Amino acid sequence: MIRTFTTHEIRKQQELTGSLWEFIPCQGEHEGRIFQAATPCCWENLSDFADYRGEGIFRKKFHAGGTIRLEFKGVSHTAKISLDGKEIASHYNAYTAFSVIIKDLEAGEHTLEIRADNRFGSESALHIPNDYMSYGGVSRPVVLEQLGELYIRQLHITPHLENGKWKARAEVVAVNLTEKDQTAAVSISIADRTHRWESVTIRANEETTLCGDFAFDQVETWEIGQPNLYDAKAELEKDGCRIDDLIDRFGFREIRIDRNKILLNGRAVRIKGFCRHEDHPQFGCALPYAAIAADIEMIRHLGANSIRAVHYPDDEIFLDLCDEQGILVWEENHARGLSLEDMQNPNFEPQAEAVIREMIPLHYNHPCIYIWGILNECASDSAYGKECYEKQYDLIRSLDTSRPRSSASCKFKADICFGLPEVVSYNIYPLWYHDTPPAEYLDDLYQWVQKETEGGGKPFLITEIGAGAIYGCRNSRHAKWTEEYQAQALETQLAAVLEHTGCSGVYIWQFCDVRVSDEWFAGRPRTMNNKGVVDEYRRQKLSYDVVKRIFGSYADYFD
Ligand code: ADA
């Protein structure tokens, strides 16, 4: 599955994954041997490669000719792409899509090779040994598209309320792939409305952007649990023939900040959420549709209304499902716990900013995304760190003016970046990393933010809180790592946050137990992060029913 809906009726599209590829490890005891891999996949889920950190080649033959576009939704974590033995593209970072266009391809059979590399080193500033796993593989779909001389590269829809009326600004980018100027008709349709430009000239090898404003008397808004979605269709027509198209979905919903509240369509939202890694013992980070859908079903069963996609942009299928079920999503660029030294790696800024440049244009239309996050628990207590935060917040603003920004801090009373974003967010672990009473700890921190920082008066989110429990570890002592301890800790932690009048909500760390880098074994029993309310097989711990009861007793909105 590429998406949960059809993005093209005219353009020919074929998923190359969803089938068996050859897999050839480039190092280790099986170097050079040819295995079979059902893609998308992480090689850690192939029996001989559970702990393989290195390079591997995924090879697939396909038939095509003319002008084609290959889109790689996710290769973990560094990719080198070759077609018929010639390198045609490369990409760093497992969690954002990239594509390449090949012109004048001879019709016939071709060989695509994806050389994936999940090794750590100074050239990788974001994928480092960490409290989650950097898998290896072709972890998201690979798509082959047939293009003509012109194609639609992007379609963005920005819905907004104006004097009580819903409007939508549509922006389409059309590309000329030929060496000579081309003229075509361009149209954008939403519901029963169409904007049409009869004769648009696109210069040779250039692109052009067209904007159309739509006004509506009556729409069905996108709400929590009541997700009304609309199709937006862009088409190219030349000499009376429809030659290309791009279909996307959006929702009439508006996110605004009003003093210390986050408003969804004018109502102050109470966030009741989970942090969720893309991780599964049978699929690594390459969860198939059914596994993603099962996670979301369980999160909704728990009474949550939001998911924080940690600590990287998620699979489009996850976002499609959240759009379709009315679940709010916090999406963030790829970073977790990078120290000042990590951030001073010369690769850090270009790699972190690249994720923002790729994440936002690709995920722009998803109504479920209500906020863009950056740099989870990075060096926001340093002058250099603040410079990086500021550049990344500015980059977000240059790509999207419709959503607030934030960053989850763990810097207690040393964070110096709260003047930059619209929302202040903290990860705190009273009753786990320090045995302080949650309500007092939270209010002390909240008051400091209000009185001592530029974050005063802004919405305040707890973006992580929780405790560890090993599934099946039960005893009357209620010691840490028992399910009993986690259940009672979460009871106290959630009450403290949801009862605090200054908090806009909470994300529990975390939905399920996840694999972590081998280097993290010492503080992570089973070399896993065990703070899930379910284990890695999604088996419920005692805390599951506690969270379900508590989330169920608080409304989605403050009013
Ligand atoms: C941090 C971090 C999470 C996870 C958590 C924990 O808040 O953001 O990724 O590592 O701590 O389990 O300690």
Side-chain angles (χ1 to χ4, degrees), residues 130-132 277 308 310-311 332 335-337 376-377 408-410 427-429 432-433 464-465 509-510 520 524 529-531:
N130 219 323
D131 198 17
Y132 63 96
H277 267 298
R308 180 174 170 230
V310 294
H311 293 290
E332 60 188 35
R336 183 221 164 269
N376 176 78
E377 295 197 351
S409 172
C410 67
N427 300 338
I428 59 173
Y429 287 89
W432 187 253
Y433 290 119
E464 289 180 28
I465 196 164
W509 183 275
Q510 64 176 325
W520 275 65
R524 296 287 183 268
N529 184 304
N530 299 284
K531 297 187 183 73

Side-chain angles (χ1 to χ4, degrees), residues 152-165:
I152 294 169
R153 180 174 67 76
Q154 182 173 280
L155 170 62
H156 279 173
I157 309 295
T158 309
H160 55 281
L161 265 175
E162 216 172 281
N163 307 321
K165 285 272 186 202

Side-chain angles (χ1 to χ4, degrees), residues 2-164:
I2 301 170
R3 300 291 297 273
T4 64
F5 64 100
T6 303
T7 53
H8 298 281
E9 289 168 349
I10 300 168
R11 189 185 306 177
K12 296 279 174 284
Q13 227 186 17
Q14 175 194 346
E15 184 184 351
L16 294 181
T17 42
S19 61
L20 285 175
W21 288 43
E22 290 181 337
F23 168 65
I24 305 101
C26 303
Q27 292 94 22
E29 62 177 310
H30 300 295
E31 181 184 344
R33 275 186 56 194
I34 297 179
F35 295 79
Q36 282 196 313
T39 60
C41 82
C42 299
W43 59 55
E44 289 83 355
N45 297 108
L46 301 175
S47 299
D48 290 306
F49 299 93
D51 296 307
Y52 179 59
R53 193 163 292 284
E55 295 174 285
I57 293 170
F58 291 81
R59 182 187 295 152
K60 183 76 177 180
K61 294 189 183 307
F62 66 93
H63 283 83
T67 300
I68 65 168
R69 175 173 177 267
L70 288 166
E71 184 177 19
F72 306 85
K73 301 284 189 180
V75 177
S76 193
H77 62 59
T78 296
K80 285 195 177 76
I81 312 296
S82 300
L83 185 61
D84 303 328
K86 179 170 165 282
E87 187 169 330
I88 57 169
S90 62
H91 183 267
Y92 172 78
N93 187 52
Y95 308 111
T96 43
F98 61 102
S99 62
V100 58
I101 289 176
I102 300 102
K103 299 181 190 175
D104 309 322
L105 187 69
E106 188 181 338
E109 184 178 77
H110 297 277
T111 303
L112 173 64
E113 290 190 339
I114 302 171
R115 187 184 184 103
D117 183 353
N118 74 343
R119 292 174 297 181
F120 297 131
S122 60
E123 65 290 346
S124 171
L126 308 178
H127 286 279
I128 65 173
N130 219 323
D131 198 17
Y132 63 96
M133 181 72 179
S134 278
Y135 289 96
V138 177
S139 45
R140 296 179 185 167
V142 175
V143 185
L144 165 66
E145 296 182 342
Q146 192 70 46
L147 299 182
E149 295 178 330
L150 307 172
Y151 84 105
I152 294 169
R153 180 174 67 76
Q154 182 173 280
L155 170 62
H156 279 173
I157 309 295
T158 309
H160 55 281
L161 265 175
E162 216 172 281
N163 307 321

